[in-house]
Structures are given as C-alpha cells and as structure tokens.
Amino acid sequence: MMGGMSADPDLFALWARGWALTRDVAPPVWDDGGWRIEVAAEDQLRRFLFSQSDEAVARRAARVHEPKVFLKVCAPVEDVEPLLPKGWIARQTGAVMTLDGMMRDAPVGEGYSVEMTREGAVTFCSVRSPQGVEAGRGRAVMVSGYIIYDRIAVEPPFRRQGVGGHVMRTLQTAMGGTAKGVLTATSEGQALYRTLGWRDCSAYTTAVLEG
C-alpha cells in the first residue's frame, strides 16, 4: 500500500530529535546523508536514520563492520536490500505514521486507572488494570509543535481491550491536545493507530549485520 513512498526529510528529522529525547540519548547528528544517534545500549550501539533509500544507505552500510549498528530507512525492504553488501539482514519493521487531528476517544473498562509522570521534556503514561497490574504504557515529547510518541506497549493479557488507544489519547490530551503527531509503528501497531486517525507516511525498514 505504501509502495516506494519516502518520508518528508524535515518531518523525519523532527521525529529523530523526539526519539532521542524519549530515550534520553544525545541528539541526532547529520552524518553523510543520514542522521546518526549514539544509543550506547547493550543491544544497540548506534543507529543511522534515512528518510529514503538512496546511495547514502549504500555508503553507510559499506562502512559498517560491527554488529549492533542499525540502519533505519523510510522505504520498503525491497528497495533497501539491493543497497546492502553481503552479510546484511533487512526486514520491514513497520511504518512511519503521521497524525493531523485529535484521536478518537478510547475508553477502557471500569476500574482501570492512569498514572502520569514527567521527566524533563518527556511525559510518561501508565494504565493499570483494576487489579493494579500495568496493562499498557507509553511516552511522548513535543518537538516543534508535533508530539512524538514512543514505546507504546500493551501487555498480552490486555490487548484488544482499548488499552493502547487509551494510552495514546491520554498522552495527546496531557500534551495539550496538539493535533499533529509522528511515530514509527510496528506492523502490529499500524492497525491500532489507523483506527485512531493516523495515516501511513512510508514503510520503515531495519537493516543490521548478521551475527
């Protein structure tokens, strides 16, 4: 459905800034055709972000010789794979999505509660079940008039019960009801976000060296 669509470079750069803020890592740095973020996590050293599949992806892949360095490209996997040297694995991990309006109300069942916290620029939301178990969570940050949503998750026993939508709508309201938003969605998350009013912007492919 998204074909060869790429993401708007300025909007993708804005999302990258927000992602770094929500993860409490250094801001993105422009580096030969893509944004570099030093993640310094156990499972990810750094990531390079590209708003389209072009020669910048090929140049970067040719210079990476260590594991745990990820290339994230706003393009379908069939456009990215031909740019990668032997030894790379690429898979389409979802989509970049945008919002331009208030999300629909997403109530959950009786007895659920919401906990909101804030650390620096980042707002956190946790939804708990009537038994006090965390059913879902997410975080968001405002960048240049857009809300960047990140790490939206629902625990398996509580899926398809409105929890994810409730997290999203609660975050939007807590951030002042700003209508514009950007996120990267997993393939599973896309269906939920579409029901809330989000639109697909581009495919989102992840590539990493084997091993």
Side-chain angles (χ1 to χ4, degrees), residues 187-207:
S187 300
E188 295 78 15
Q190 278 179 268
L192 165 65
Y193 300 136
R194 286 169 182 158
T195 67
L196 296 174
W198 289 76
R199 297 189 303 271
D200 296 326
C201 173
S202 79
Y204 192 57
T205 292
T206 297

Side-chain angles (χ1 to χ4, degrees), residues 2-175:
M2 288 172 284
M5 293 170 64
S6 59
D8 175 86
D10 293 335
L11 191 58
F12 191 59
L14 184 151
W15 170 82
R17 286 166 51 199
W19 187 93
L21 276 170
T22 69
R23 305 296 177 112
D24 194 26
V25 297
V29 175
W30 184 251
D31 188 345
D32 188 25
W35 294 100
R36 170 170 50 83
I37 299 179
E38 297 293 338
V39 182
E42 184 176 345
D43 60 346
Q44 184 173 176
L45 295 177
R46 67 186 59 86
R47 57 172 48 194
F48 292 91
L49 308 170
F50 302 89
S51 63
Q52 60 184 352
S53 56
D54 58 17
E55 285 305 308
V57 177
R59 289 196 305 269
R60 177 57 59 190
R63 294 202 295 268
V64 173
H65 304 289
E66 57 186 333
K68 301 181 182 179
V69 175
F70 291 80
L71 309 187
K72 304 280 186 172
V73 188
C74 296
V77 66
E78 58 267 24
D79 290 354
V80 176
E81 283 183 323
L83 301 172
L84 302 174
K86 185 178 179 181
W88 282 80
I89 299 173
R91 61 188 180 93
Q92 194 164 313
T93 47
V96 178
M97 303 185 76
T98 58
L99 178 73
D100 190 12
M102 289 299 293
M103 286 182 272
R104 68 169 178 82
D105 287 326
V108 289
E110 189 174 339
Y112 281 81
S113 61
V114 174
E115 296 177 3
M116 305 295 294
T117 57
R118 188 177 175 94
E119 296 179 14
V122 186
T123 298
F124 296 83
C125 174
S126 174
V127 173
R128 295 194 172 273
S129 74
Q131 294 75 34
V133 176
E134 186 176 60
R137 73 196 71 86
R139 59 184 70 178
V141 66
M142 185 81 72
V143 179
S144 299
Y146 282 79
I147 303 176
I148 313 302
Y149 299 82
D150 190 33
R151 286 193 168 176
I152 310 301
V154 178
E155 295 300 321
F158 302 99
R159 289 175 185 168
R160 302 186 184 279
Q161 298 180 39
V163 173
H166 193 60
V167 169
M168 294 290 290
R169 177 63 187 234
T170 301
L171 282 169
Q172 185 179 37
T173 303
M175 303 287 286

